[in-house]
Amino acid sequence: MTFHKSKNKGQTVPDLNFADSPDTVPANLDVFEDLPSSTKQFRGLVETPDQLVDALALQAILKPIPLGEAFVALDLVSAAQVDEALRRQKEDKTLPLGQILINSGMLSQADLQSALVRKMGYPLVDLKKFPFDFAAIRRIPQELAMRLKALPLLELPKALVVAMPDPLNFKGNQELEFCVGLKIIPVMANMEDLLVTIVRLHREIRMRGMLTSAENAPAIKMSAPNADKRDAYQLATELTKEAMDQAQEDRSVEQSDSTLVNLINSMIKEASSNNASDIHIEPYPERQKVLIRFRVDGVMRHYLELPMSSSNALVARIKIMCDLDISERRKPQDGKINFAKYGGFPLELRVATIPTNNGLEDVVMRLLASSKAMSIDTIALSAANVKALDRIMHRPHGMFLCVGPTGSGKTTTLHAALGHINNPERKIWTAEDPVEITQSGLRQIQVNPKIGWTFAAALRSLLRADPDVIMVGEIRDQETADIAIEAALTGHLVLSTLHTNSAAETIVRLNDLGVDPFSFADALQGILAQRLVRRLCPKCVTRKPLPDEELVELIQDYQTALPEAHREHDYQTLTDLWTARYGLKGRLQHYHAPGCAHCGGTGLKGRVALHELMTTSTEIRQLVQHRARPKELQAAAIAEGMRTLRQDGIEKVLAGFTTLAEVRATTND
């Protein structure tokens, strides 16, 4: 056993090495009776880092005893019940003894915690008084901390002290050790206090604008006493860890390593559970950590940092999962992962590997979870837009386009529109890449450009398959556009998408592709532009009467795109209209979400769509035929009742869906 100096008293205490067997724990703490009185304080709650270090040093010298004997000694269960639990453990070695007894109803979580504290010496930390080290907290990202119920308390040489409700969760401890590259020393904390504290501390980290990497920022304590000493101690720890990392860099992780395999599967499951659209894996040169980030609600979020030694194996394992060439690292590759094939749930991931400098490779995985179509009433369309869309979808022929950037929910909207008219009297075909949303009654095609099965080829074939409605995933070229227009003019309702910024600019984009403006004007029924903005958290949203100065700001912003003669250019008319639609007891409301555990302290959870629906009229068709500028098209559409993305967003602010900052960040002036 090796020794180091305790910070608080200068005394020599042993390094903290514990038995890893799930069947043994430190001996009964009746030995406290033979120890100096200064150590007996640890029978209560630990409140300071110094107490925690000394309590762990004491625990490390205690002789392990079987866990079952400890339960029997405390009269929590009988010897026969322990024997039965041990028999079950032989059948399922993944569950610890305590969890088996809890699952069987023989033991409660409180009993387990009491036994671990009273008889096995695990320190019980008072999270309401303990001074936290933010550098240690940043070692484990919030998503992983919430899933494993683990809160870092203190970083020691070669070890990280972590509070958790069950310190015998060896599988979780192993995952933490792999992620942080340090020995995990578990201590105990109350479950409810733990989860609340994790959310609160990570929210404070974000509010302070701290870096997510512990190596790039000095430690910041919540308590002022001894702050200088702790900063120095943290710096010494970082230097020690840097040397350890350099020593360990020579040992690379194998792609078949079971911990790595489990980590990748867990990462994908967690990304799906957090409604992430993409997973980004970003290795950095010069022995820096591998950064893993999720895109959630359109925003990148830090998820995890891994040792550089795991970089090659991580990328290679993902390549194996999608049948790519693991020896090719100089060119980008594309593939797909069927997650169900690897023990997961039905989920497909589209994978792209991109070579970066210093011979490294980035990996981006897009989650393509199969889902059911939403109802047209649940995609946040305004009442006027729902009525206009209903008219378009019940016409026997014509073209309807949904436009916006990648990831703006265009496919979701089109499937909602198809669901609105999906009945046994209509034959509906779709050609998509990929097929993400399924619904009964649709005949869906997965295009494959690598074998020549393109959108244009699929659309040409579908015209011979007696369709009533055709949905084309995207119009990318003139050939697809021409065939779609021809189909719309010959008695079919055609739906598709384009990547344009607004409804008016879509017409200019199609003109640039080379379509005939007269044919297009005759075929077009409507264009719906949309964006996604983050939604206020429904669990913590609050409201208060809207201040007059904020109302003036909203009205001025709303009226910017209106022509002078428009009736809503009158301040009082617009105020009365909004109050009738969104007012509460005759007053417009200001909505705010301060943040809670449900939204991770951000105040935002999920997304809502903003819409801009331009329907065709005689004047609009004439402007299309004469290749009018987008500004002229937009002015004519607004005069006929269209609301721009910004205007629709402002109305959703008044309805309590989102914030004005989100709307302004996503839409043009």
Side-chain angles (χ1 to χ4, degrees):
M1 181 178 292
T2 57
F3 293 82
H4 68 273
K5 292 289 184 180
S6 174
K7 293 191 300 174
N8 58 324
K9 302 174 183 176
Q11 67 198 40
T12 301
V13 295
D15 273 344
L16 308 174
N17 299 315
F18 300 94
D20 288 332
S21 169
D23 295 325
T24 59
V25 291
N28 190 314
L29 285 195
D30 291 341
V31 295
F32 265 115
E33 302 304 326
D34 300 324
L35 293 172
S37 59
S38 61
T39 64
K40 294 181 182 179
Q41 60 181 308
F42 303 125
R43 302 188 74 173
L45 291 175
V46 172
E47 299 178 358
T48 68
D50 295 336
Q51 289 180 358
L52 183 57
V53 169
D54 288 343
L56 289 170
L58 175 62
Q59 185 193 19
I61 64 176
L62 299 178
K63 180 181 178 181
I65 63 170
L67 179 59
E69 291 184 14
F71 292 144
V72 174
L74 288 171
D75 293 328
L76 297 175
V77 294
S78 66
Q81 289 174 319
V82 171
D83 291 340
E84 173 62 19
L86 290 172
R87 185 189 63 78
R88 294 183 185 179
Q89 190 179 41
K90 291 180 180 179
E91 299 174 357
D92 185 1
K93 296 181 180 180
T94 61
L95 288 177
L97 179 62
Q99 190 60 48
I100 292 175
L101 290 169
I102 291 174
N103 293 344
S104 302
M106 304 176 189
L107 194 72
S108 68
Q109 186 70 42
D111 290 336
L112 174 61
Q113 188 174 61
S114 175
L116 293 173
V117 172
R118 292 174 54 198
K119 288 291 184 179
M120 290 100 198
Y122 280 100
L124 180 61
V125 179
D126 186 351
L127 297 180
K128 296 179 180 178
K129 296 182 179 180
F130 195 88
F132 296 101
D133 183 345
F134 281 109
I137 293 169
R138 286 193 300 270
R139 283 285 189 182
I140 303 176
Q142 182 177 353
E143 291 82 0
L144 185 62
M146 292 292 288
R147 177 167 61 84
L148 297 180
K149 301 176 181 64
L151 176 63
L153 298 177
L154 190 65
E155 187 172 343
L156 302 171
K158 304 181 182 181
L160 185 67
V161 182
V162 179
M164 53 185 61
D166 182 8
L168 299 181
N169 182 5
F170 293 97
K171 184 178 180 181
N173 292 347
Q174 184 183 30
E175 185 175 346
L176 289 174
E177 288 181 355
F178 182 85
C179 294
V180 303
L182 294 172
K183 173 75 176 177
I184 295 298
I185 301 175
V187 298
M188 301 194 64
N190 179 271
M191 170 82 80
E192 294 181 1
D193 290 345
L194 190 65
L195 296 177
V196 171
T197 304
I198 289 173
V199 172
R200 177 175 61 83
L201 293 177
H202 279 276
R203 180 187 178 193
E204 184 164 347
I205 287 175
R206 288 191 295 270
M207 290 175 65
R208 295 186 180 197
M210 294 182 173
L211 298 175
T212 55
S213 172
E215 290 80 8
N216 294 333
I220 300 178
K221 308 291 182 176
M222 290 184 67
S223 57
N226 301 322
D228 293 338
K229 292 182 180 180
R230 287 171 183 161
D231 284 346
Y233 178 72
Q234 176 62 31
L235 290 172
T237 301
E238 291 176 12
L239 291 174
T240 302
K241 183 185 180 301
E242 185 176 327
M244 290 173 55
D245 286 343
Q246 293 176 359
Q248 293 175 353
E249 193 68 28
D250 295 334
R251 185 189 69 81
S252 61
V253 178
E254 295 293 334
Q255 64 205 30
S256 59
D257 188 291
S258 62
T259 304
L260 177 64
V261 171
N262 292 334
L263 174 66
I264 292 174
N265 291 346
S266 176
M267 174 181 68
I268 294 173
K269 291 177 182 177
E270 197 156 326
S272 179
S273 66
N274 281 275
N275 296 319
S277 60
D278 302 88
I279 303 172
H280 292 250
I281 300 173
E282 305 167 351
Y284 289 87
E286 300 178 358
R287 301 182 184 275
Q288 297 184 60
K289 293 293 188 71
V290 178
L291 181 63
I292 300 177
R293 297 193 290 170
F294 292 167
R295 184 178 294 280
V296 180
D297 295 339
V299 178
M300 297 294 290
R301 292 187 183 178
H302 177 273
Y303 169 67
L304 200 61
E305 291 178 355
L306 297 177
M308 184 60 188
S309 57
S310 67
S311 173
N312 291 337
L314 182 66
V315 175
R317 171 62 183 171
I318 293 173
K319 285 183 176 180
I320 289 172
M321 294 174 73
C322 51
D323 297 324
L324 299 180
D325 184 359
I326 63 173
S327 64
E328 180 55 73
R329 304 180 61 184
R330 299 168 299 171
K331 297 189 301 184
Q333 299 185 68
D334 297 314
K336 291 183 179 180
I337 296 175
N338 180 5
F339 190 49
K341 179 180 175 182
Y342 298 94
F345 43 81
L347 174 67
E348 187 175 64
L349 297 97
R350 188 165 55 199
V351 179
T353 65
I354 311 292
T356 56
N357 63 328
N358 295 286
L360 301 174
E361 285 183 284
D362 275 30
V363 178
V364 179
M365 298 188 287
R366 168 150 290 190
L367 281 68
L368 307 173
S370 297
S371 59
K372 295 182 179 180
M374 297 177 64
S375 165
I376 199 172
D377 297 323
T378 61
I379 58 175
L381 284 166
S382 67
N385 284 342
V386 168
K387 188 176 180 179
L389 183 58
D390 178 74
R391 288 198 304 268
I392 292 172
M393 295 306 297
H394 281 92
R395 287 174 179 166
H397 56 80
M399 175 179 282
F400 174 72
L401 300 174
C402 189
V403 302
T406 300
S408 59
K410 300 185 295 296
T411 302
T412 300
T413 298
L414 287 185
H415 269 279
L418 288 177
H420 189 60
I421 59 172
N422 183 9
N423 59 59
E425 299 175 358
R426 287 194 170 192
K427 180 62 177 279
I428 303 176
W429 285 97
T430 75
E432 305 171 71
D433 183 24
V435 176
E436 296 182 61
I437 301 174
T438 60
Q439 51 180 310
S440 177
L442 269 59
R443 308 307 300 152
Q444 296 178 266
I445 295 173
Q446 170 76 58
V447 302
N448 187 352
K450 292 181 180 180
I451 61 173
W453 187 230
T454 61
F455 283 121
L459 186 53
R460 191 178 292 109
S461 297
L462 292 180
L463 289 176
R464 298 191 291 269
D466 188 29
D468 291 304
V469 182
I470 301 174
M471 189 189 93
V472 184
E474 182 182 348
I475 294 178
R476 298 174 178 171
D477 50 51
Q478 182 180 357
E479 182 183 11
T480 306
D482 287 339
I483 298 172
I485 292 171
E486 180 184 347
L489 291 172
T490 54
H492 308 92
L493 182 61
V494 179
L495 285 66
S496 190
T497 71
L498 275 90
H499 292 98
T500 57
N501 291 326
S502 68
E505 290 178 29
T506 303
I507 295 171
V508 177
R509 167 65 175 156
L510 287 167
N511 287 334
D512 291 341
L513 286 178
V515 302
D516 176 25
F518 287 88
S519 297
F520 176 55
D522 289 341
L524 183 65
Q525 297 294 335
I527 302 174
L528 179 69
Q530 72 177 56
R531 297 288 190 279
L532 293 180
V533 295
R534 290 186 290 175
R535 182 191 290 261
L536 287 170
C537 174
K539 299 289 186 180
C540 61
V541 65
T542 62
R543 65 171 182 261
K544 65 179 182 180
L546 183 70
D548 291 339
E549 58 272 17
E550 290 189 24
L551 176 59
V552 171
E553 182 182 5
L554 290 173
I555 287 178
Q556 290 176 346
D557 202 349
Y558 186 91
Q559 292 175 338
T560 300
L562 294 176
E564 289 293 334
H566 201 285
R567 73 183 188 92
E568 291 179 2
H569 230 296
D570 178 71
Y571 181 96
Q572 191 58 49
T573 299
L574 186 56
T575 302
D576 293 342
L577 183 63
W578 283 352
T579 302
R581 289 179 183 171
Y582 311 111
L584 183 64
K585 296 181 179 179
R587 287 292 304 273
L588 292 170
Q589 302 294 306
H590 169 84
Y591 294 87
H592 172 68
C596 64
H598 179 67
C599 60
T602 63
L604 300 166
K605 183 70 173 180
R607 289 191 287 180
V608 65
L610 311 183
H611 302 101
E612 176 182 287
L613 179 56
M614 182 175 73
T615 58
T616 53
S617 63
T618 301
E619 183 178 356
I620 294 293
R621 286 194 172 94
Q622 289 177 350
L623 290 172
V624 172
Q625 291 169 352
H626 291 86
R627 299 178 183 269
R629 294 179 301 170
K631 188 174 182 180
E632 297 176 84
L633 287 163
Q634 179 173 293
I638 291 175
E640 293 178 1
M642 184 187 82
R643 294 295 171 263
T644 66
L645 290 166
R646 174 66 65 86
Q647 291 171 337
D648 190 60
I650 290 173
E651 294 203 3
K652 286 184 168 65
V653 170
L654 293 169
F657 286 115
T658 187
T659 67
L660 184 59
E662 281 289 310
V663 172
R664 286 176 170 172
T666 311
T667 61
N668 297 325
D669 293 339

